[in-house]
Amino acid sequence: MIHENIKIDIDYEKLGIKHKGADAVFTTYIKEMYPEYQNVFERPLVIICPGGGYEHHSPREGEAVALKMLDFGYNAVVLRYSLMPDEFPCALYEAAYTINYVRNHAKEWDINPDKIIIAGFSAGGHVAASLATMYDQPELADFIQNVLHVSPKEVRPDGLLLGYPVITSGPKAHRKSFERLLGDRYDELVKSVSLEERVSSNTPKTFLWHTFSDGNVPVDNSLLFAESLKKAEVPFELHIFPNGNHGLGLGTKETDTKDGKHFEPEVYVWTELFKTWVEKNI
């Protein structure tokens, strides 16, 4: 397996963006081919953005999810994007950088460049959905053209996976996520990063799951995004499980916490449902 940490090389100072936090990196989980023994084929790849309220990266929503994707026969990378005090659009730029990097290495890593999915959990869902809804919008135009030197389609995900995502900055918002994301520019930008308002017919096909009893990020976030996808005639699959705390990850013992509050057997099935969705739609 090709397993390495790759630093995201963006000159934030040159772009006029304040960046005082740790360097953003992504970790690769790439299965190697053995052409002397097998026919070479291309795999889908999933870019995983862990949650953490733009304050930290949840370790339970990174490697464990990547290993599950490997089990399905996919490749994966885990993106540890910029956190507070770094502000928008740092994480958005890093997501665009990552998907462009992956596509540039598609042949080397035996990846299907037309089957790249970006996944996000909680605030990581906001990162993933931001790229999926803004890849062709003004927020990314200069960065894509003058830094990455590619077209918007080169940073467009082919699919979107969202687990209990932070989406809306409206009444049902996880307010702390937006305060950390926007900092001093909160009042200026808060409406523009309410992602149910950014969906268009160009948004990629989406798989969403949430729990009705989520007490941190209300289920309304997924419902609002799904409603916008429907209006834009973008195909989606939505699963709402009745029980479960926020931040379940896989819902298994593998991603449980010491208090046992993140073990929820009824949501195990989301990964198998996602696998079927990928096979049928991506």
Side-chain angles (χ1 to χ4, degrees):
M1 182 170 67
I2 302 171
H3 184 53
E4 59 183 333
N5 292 322
I6 298 174
K7 177 185 173 183
I8 294 178
D9 186 18
I10 297 175
D11 190 340
Y12 297 98
E13 184 177 352
K14 185 177 180 180
L15 294 170
I17 298 171
K18 295 178 182 178
H19 192 279
K20 298 180 180 179
D23 290 331
V25 299
F26 62 87
T27 304
T28 63
Y29 297 79
I30 308 296
K31 289 188 173 184
E32 295 187 66
M33 288 287 183
Y34 302 97
E36 64 272 33
Y37 300 113
Q38 62 182 163
N39 293 324
V40 174
F41 60 92
E42 295 178 331
R43 303 178 188 272
L45 179 134
V46 182
I47 298 169
I48 301 159
C49 304
Y54 284 112
E55 183 181 38
H56 67 280
H57 298 120
S58 170
R60 298 181 303 102
E61 296 163 350
E63 183 168 84
V65 178
L67 294 178
K68 191 64 179 177
M69 297 301 109
L70 290 179
D71 185 48
F72 287 159
Y74 309 156
N75 285 319
V77 302
V78 176
L79 169 60
R80 293 175 178 85
Y81 49 87
S82 289
L83 304 169
M84 64 178 294
D86 302 328
E87 300 173 0
F88 183 84
C90 289
L92 176 62
Y93 283 10
E94 290 151 8
Y97 180 102
T98 302
I99 196 169
N100 182 61
Y101 189 102
V102 167
R103 279 211 170 98
N104 286 341
H105 289 75
K107 186 174 182 179
E108 174 188 348
W109 290 345
D110 301 302
I111 294 164
N112 187 328
D114 299 320
K115 292 189 176 184
I116 297 176
I117 299 158
I118 191 163
F121 299 83
S122 192
H126 191 266
V127 177
S130 292
L131 180 63
T133 57
M134 297 185 194
Y135 71 90
D136 59 352
Q137 296 299 302
E139 287 88 348
L140 270 172
D142 183 65
F143 179 73
I144 290 172
Q145 181 177 350
N146 298 317
V147 177
L148 299 181
H149 306 292
V150 297
S151 66
K153 70 178 183 179
E154 294 301 314
V155 300
R156 181 187 186 273
D158 300 299
L160 177 62
L161 161 61
L162 299 175
Y164 41 88
V166 171
I167 293 292
T168 184
S169 64
K172 298 297 183 178
H174 183 258
R175 194 63 55 193
K176 286 293 185 181
S177 288
F178 290 98
E179 291 172 354
R180 294 166 186 148
L181 172 66
L182 301 176
D184 294 338
R185 302 179 69 195
Y186 179 88
D187 290 337
E188 174 191 352
L189 296 177
V190 66
K191 290 184 179 179
S192 70
V193 293
S194 199
L195 301 181
E196 78 277 18
E197 304 294 341
R198 303 303 300 266
V199 171
S200 74
S201 60
N202 295 323
T203 302
K205 296 176 181 178
T206 303
F207 180 99
L208 307 100
W209 73 274
H210 218 118
T211 63
F212 180 81
S213 59
D214 192 320
N216 287 57
V217 177
V219 68
D220 305 72
N221 282 260
S222 286
L223 292 172
L224 286 166
F225 199 75
E227 182 180 12
S228 294
L229 291 169
K230 178 64 171 65
K231 288 179 179 177
E233 299 185 349
V234 175
F236 68 90
E237 183 168 327
L238 169 64
H239 297 278
I240 300 175
F241 301 95
N243 303 307
N245 289 316
H246 185 70
L248 288 173
L250 299 176
T252 63
K253 289 290 187 181
E254 179 72 22
T255 55
D256 195 11
T257 45
K258 289 182 178 180
D259 57 13
K261 292 183 177 180
H262 293 86
F263 174 61
E264 196 64 52
E266 70 183 84
V267 310
Y268 289 3
V269 71
W270 82 256
T271 56
E272 292 293 338
L273 293 168
F274 170 69
K275 180 175 182 286
T276 299
W277 177 79
V278 172
E279 291 171 354
K280 296 290 186 181
N281 293 279
I282 304 300

